[in-house]
Amino acid sequence: MHSVRVFFRIVKFLFKAKIEYPAAYLGGIVSQWLANGITMLLIVLTVLNFGTLGGWLPMEVMFLHSVWLFTYAVGSSFAYNLSRLFRHMAVDGTMDEALTRPVPPFLYLVATTFNIGYVSHITLAVGALVFSMIQLGISWAAWQWLWFVVMIVCGGIITACMMLICEMPSLRTRSRSPVGVFFDSGRNFAQFPLVIYPRVLQIIFTTVLPFGFVGFYPSQVLLGKQDGLLPQVNMWLSPVVAVLIVGITALCWRILSRRYESAGT
Amino acid sequence: MPQIELINVSKDYKIRKRDKNRSWFAEFFCPKYTQKRAVDDISFSIDAGEMVGYIGSNGAGKSTTIKMLTGILAPTCGTVRVFDRDPCKNRTKNALSMGVVFGQRSQLLWDLPVRDTFDLFKTMYKIEEKVFRAQRDMLVDMLDMEDFLSQAVRQLSLGQRMRANLALCFLHKPKVVYLDEPTIGLDVLVKDKIRAFLKKINKEQGTTVLLTTHDTGDIEQIAERLILIDHGKLLYDGNQLGFKERYRDTEYTLEVTFAAPTAPIENPLFHLQTSEGNTHCYRLNHDKIITGEAITYAASNYSVADIRVRESGIEDILKKMYDRGETICETK
């Protein structure tokens, strides 16, 4: 409980620090709206021209893309800055600082590197979600709303953990992780229905790089779709994958932080 | 029961061994590594309320020792105990009772006023509101911080930031404080303020202070006990007076200002070092001529306007020890 209180306290001060420069903060939000909004518009317009994408209607694609953007923003808020910091941690003393605080070091690092700039992605994704849901005439029961929340939370967790696992080796190598590219490239595949890719890629994004569970599979429950690999099973597996990947992340952190060697002062 | 205890502690680092005769191909695909011993079989203990100066040249192993005491690094062999606990296994628990300042690193929130970092530490270190207010006000007063408490950290001078970092370190009333070069880069006034503060808080709150520094002024004014290490080995552990007595240089300097331009003193015991105008500096040896005799000799044989004697300080002693790479001294 104490750790959670410290986490929110640190985030509160990060927000306070961010709004010390209101123009830069608001400017950043607007530019992200424009950049991501244009990408989303291009995708929807392209699908409108083709009619469907792998059997998915333009508004269904927009729904999926919004879920992808939403979960990416949630995960990145917690993990983006930290994943980029791994390679500098030993040199700039961030890790030493975390190890001398009366809270778990990982939590301290996540808190102090929390990125509140992703509010732009989240607001845009929510707007696009609402629009696509209205267009699709969606009317969900209570359990489906609950599943929607589970999908966003699990998607955020999977995204954050994938980002951290791919960049964590740089804690040891002290340079950009060579496997970081798997996250950067892999996550982009997940913004479209997996069914449009060859079977081998579908298998990869369901197993090794489980980006399919970020949006595609859990969205099938809400949109009543059943395509891709083993849809009846996979569409419910997001929470299981999230728990598994949290365990893998914790294990990687444990191994690498135990081998941590501080730099000279 | 000592608060800090190190028993036969060593720490090795794995470092890349580069051989200029090997090809880059071999270096790339088959790198070789070697072990470097940063701390070598060190043992000492520190009781509650002690103020200890932990000194040594660059790369002697001071910071590595501090990092083992704070739980950042685990020793390769030996036992480290702080509050009778293994600092690596009880890092979070120990953190509540210790403070640490790495002189070249700040723990302040860069864009926010110092006051906000104080508030954050209050939550992080579970400090009760009443205790927090009393301790904060006392620290602000002792370190003369009232003027910049509401100022953003980015707008503070180095000295102000260091004072704020020190205040943070003592905010939760730690039992032990590790200060790694806390006066680095500061002007004499700020240094004095910090030294006075450390002495006062040690006296009033009984905080144990382990201080590493290259500034002998810090040591002479703050630390009663000295621990000297070099190349990872413990060279001396004892009080400051004992250190000076034991390693006092047998040589001293006599600075003679003559009333008029004069040729150098003709005496084989007087070794001229420098000469500027009417002032000459001579190196003499205590074993051959004591200070009183030297002064009498100069004053009675020459027309002297002024004479000054300069004995070796800790800095001179250390300089010679580092130069000679001595591995001397019995420990406490």
Side-chain angles (χ1 to χ4, degrees):
Chain A
M1 201 59 209
H2 170 246
S3 298
V4 176
R5 201 178 305 130
V6 171
F7 179 88
F8 283 110
R9 194 86 176 148
I10 292 172
V11 172
K12 179 194 151 186
F13 282 116
L14 286 179
F15 181 70
K16 207 176 162 189
K18 199 82 176 172
I19 56 170
E20 279 280 304
Y21 307 95
Y25 184 54
L26 293 174
I29 289 177
V30 172
S31 65
Q32 288 292 343
W33 275 342
L34 286 172
N36 287 295
I38 289 167
T39 308
M40 194 179 282
L41 193 65
L42 276 173
I43 290 169
V44 174
L45 287 175
T46 309
V47 181
L48 270 172
N49 272 310
F50 286 102
T52 61
L53 186 68
W56 286 54
L57 298 168
M59 283 304 125
E60 289 174 333
V61 173
M62 190 177 185
F63 178 89
L64 178 63
H65 186 85
S66 308
V67 169
W68 171 83
L69 187 64
F70 199 160
T71 53
Y72 171 69
V74 171
S76 297
S77 299
F78 290 89
Y80 183 83
N81 285 350
L82 178 57
S83 68
R84 294 296 183 271
L85 188 69
F86 283 138
R87 73 189 108 148
H88 305 296
M89 259 181 199
V91 179
D92 69 10
T94 316
M95 187 71 170
D96 289 357
E97 183 185 314
L99 290 169
T100 52
R101 294 284 180 253
V103 285
F106 187 75
L107 180 128
Y108 182 80
L109 288 168
V110 171
T112 49
T113 56
F114 189 84
N115 190 333
I116 55 164
Y118 281 99
V119 71
S120 57
H121 295 66
I122 292 172
T123 46
L124 179 68
V126 168
L129 266 173
V130 171
F131 180 77
S132 61
M133 284 160 75
I134 292 169
Q135 294 297 312
L136 288 167
I138 280 172
S139 160
W140 288 335
W143 71 267
Q144 286 170 308
W145 279 109
L146 185 67
W147 180 254
F148 176 78
V149 174
V150 169
M151 174 178 73
I152 298 297
V153 171
C154 292
I157 290 173
I158 295 168
T159 305
C161 289
M162 285 297 291
M163 198 184 282
L164 292 173
I165 291 169
C166 288
E167 287 293 343
M168 224 179 270
S170 59
L171 188 61
R172 187 91 184 131
T173 61
R174 296 183 187 178
S175 59
R176 184 86 205 271
S177 165
V179 288
V181 69
F182 288 120
F183 176 81
D184 291 335
S185 314
R187 76 176 187 89
N188 286 322
F189 282 89
Q191 57 189 315
F192 303 107
L194 280 194
V195 284
I196 65 169
Y197 304 120
R199 202 171 167 76
V200 64
L201 282 182
Q202 288 187 45
I203 293 170
I204 288 172
F205 293 124
T206 308
T207 53
V208 190
L209 300 170
F211 288 111
F213 295 98
V214 167
F216 175 72
Y217 288 121
S219 292
Q220 290 183 319
V221 175
L222 300 170
L223 298 177
K225 301 190 81 70
Q226 292 204 349
D227 45 9
L229 299 172
L230 290 172
Q232 298 85 346
V233 180
N234 283 335
M235 64 202 275
W236 300 105
L237 282 185
S238 274
V240 179
V241 174
V243 170
L244 272 175
I245 206 160
V246 164
I248 295 169
T249 312
L251 188 68
C252 291
W253 172 255
R254 201 173 162 81
I255 292 169
L256 285 164
S257 61
R258 273 188 177 183
R259 292 181 176 183
Y260 169 72
E261 282 186 356
S262 173
T265 49
Chain B
M1 175 71 68
Q3 249 177 1
I4 294 171
E5 200 171 18
L6 283 92
I7 306 165
N8 304 117
V9 172
S10 296
K11 174 70 186 172
D12 293 339
Y13 286 114
K14 186 177 156 191
I15 56 165
R16 182 88 176 262
K17 189 182 173 189
R18 293 174 204 280
D19 184 351
K20 61 180 178 183
N21 295 323
R22 294 181 82 213
S23 68
W24 69 266
F25 188 83
E27 282 289 342
F28 186 80
F29 286 103
C30 189
K32 286 184 175 174
Y33 293 92
T34 184
Q35 296 284 328
K36 184 184 183 293
R37 184 145 282 199
V39 170
D40 192 0
D41 197 27
I42 275 183
S43 299
F44 64 79
S45 61
I46 297 174
D47 292 326
E50 277 197 90
M51 285 193 95
V52 181
Y54 194 51
I55 54 173
S57 54
N58 285 325
K62 305 185 298 294
S63 296
T64 300
T65 312
I66 298 256
K67 283 173 185 173
M68 287 192 284
L69 290 170
T70 49
I72 293 172
L73 295 175
T76 308
C77 57
T79 310
V80 180
R81 309 285 293 173
V82 177
F83 311 122
D84 202 27
R85 294 190 286 258
D86 180 341
C88 266
K89 290 179 182 158
N90 298 274
R91 207 186 292 126
T92 313
K93 203 172 179 182
N94 274 11
L96 282 169
S97 309
M98 75 171 200
V100 58
V101 171
F102 291 109
Q104 296 172 59
R105 295 172 189 161
S106 175
Q107 40 192 346
L108 300 157
L109 299 166
W110 185 249
D111 287 314
L112 297 177
V114 178
R115 196 183 292 279
D116 284 345
T117 316
F118 275 57
D119 284 345
L120 174 62
F121 271 52
K122 178 190 148 202
T123 309
M124 193 148 53
Y125 285 90
K126 304 180 190 171
I127 312 171
E128 282 176 32
E129 182 66 33
K130 207 173 151 188
V131 177
F132 167 72
R133 281 178 187 279
Q135 184 76 351
R136 184 196 59 190
D137 293 348
M138 187 200 74
L139 293 166
V140 167
D141 183 47
M142 280 168 92
L143 286 162
D144 199 12
M145 291 171 53
E146 192 59 60
D147 289 347
F148 59 87
L149 203 57
S150 301
Q151 216 170 310
V153 173
R154 64 173 187 274
Q155 295 167 329
L156 302 182
S157 69
L158 180 64
Q160 288 171 325
R161 283 206 300 273
M162 181 45 78
R163 277 185 277 161
N165 272 309
L166 266 177
L168 275 178
C169 173
F170 283 91
L171 192 64
H172 56 291
K173 290 190 172 181
K175 290 180 191 155
V176 172
V177 165
Y178 306 106
L179 304 174
D180 196 359
E181 301 185 38
T183 56
I184 193 164
L186 303 181
D187 67 46
V188 282
L189 281 177
V190 179
K191 276 184 186 177
D192 272 353
K193 212 168 264 181
I194 287 176
R195 287 165 185 164
F197 162 76
L198 289 174
K199 278 197 279 191
K200 197 171 176 195
I201 203 151
N202 166 262
K203 197 175 170 190
E204 288 178 4
Q205 300 193 344
T207 316
T208 309
V209 178
L210 182 64
L211 166 87
T212 81
T213 181
H214 290 291
D215 188 329
T216 45
D218 289 347
I219 301 160
E220 281 172 331
Q221 290 182 42
I222 301 171
E224 286 176 2
R225 179 176 161 195
L226 282 185
I227 298 178
L228 171 67
I229 63 165
D230 196 34
H231 293 100
K233 286 187 186 295
L234 190 73
L235 299 188
Y236 177 83
D237 180 3
N239 65 33
Q240 204 182 118
L241 214 62
F243 181 80
K244 280 183 183 167
E245 281 302 315
R246 192 180 295 257
Y247 306 110
R248 181 188 289 278
D249 206 329
T250 53
E251 290 176 345
Y252 61 98
T253 304
L254 202 68
E255 191 182 297
V256 185
T257 306
F258 297 104
T262 309
I265 295 173
E266 286 180 12
N267 185 321
L269 300 178
F270 284 67
H271 301 279
L272 183 68
Q273 295 295 294
T274 57
S275 155
E276 203 181 316
N278 290 350
T279 304
H280 296 181
C281 285
Y282 297 92
R283 198 182 74 237
L284 297 106
N285 197 310
H286 273 299
D287 296 340
K288 292 177 181 164
I289 181 166
I290 59 168
T291 322
E293 283 173 358
I295 294 171
T296 311
Y297 179 82
S300 55
N301 293 295
Y302 296 87
S303 174
V304 171
D306 191 19
I307 294 183
R308 289 166 195 234
V309 180
R310 198 166 70 82
E311 293 284 352
S312 303
I314 287 184
E315 189 162 340
D316 301 302
I317 300 171
L318 288 175
K319 221 183 279 176
K320 291 204 168 176
M321 286 172 83
Y322 294 163
D323 270 351
R324 293 197 293 252
E326 286 187 44
T327 49
I328 26 172
C329 322
E330 63 196 50
T331 54
K332 183 183 164 187

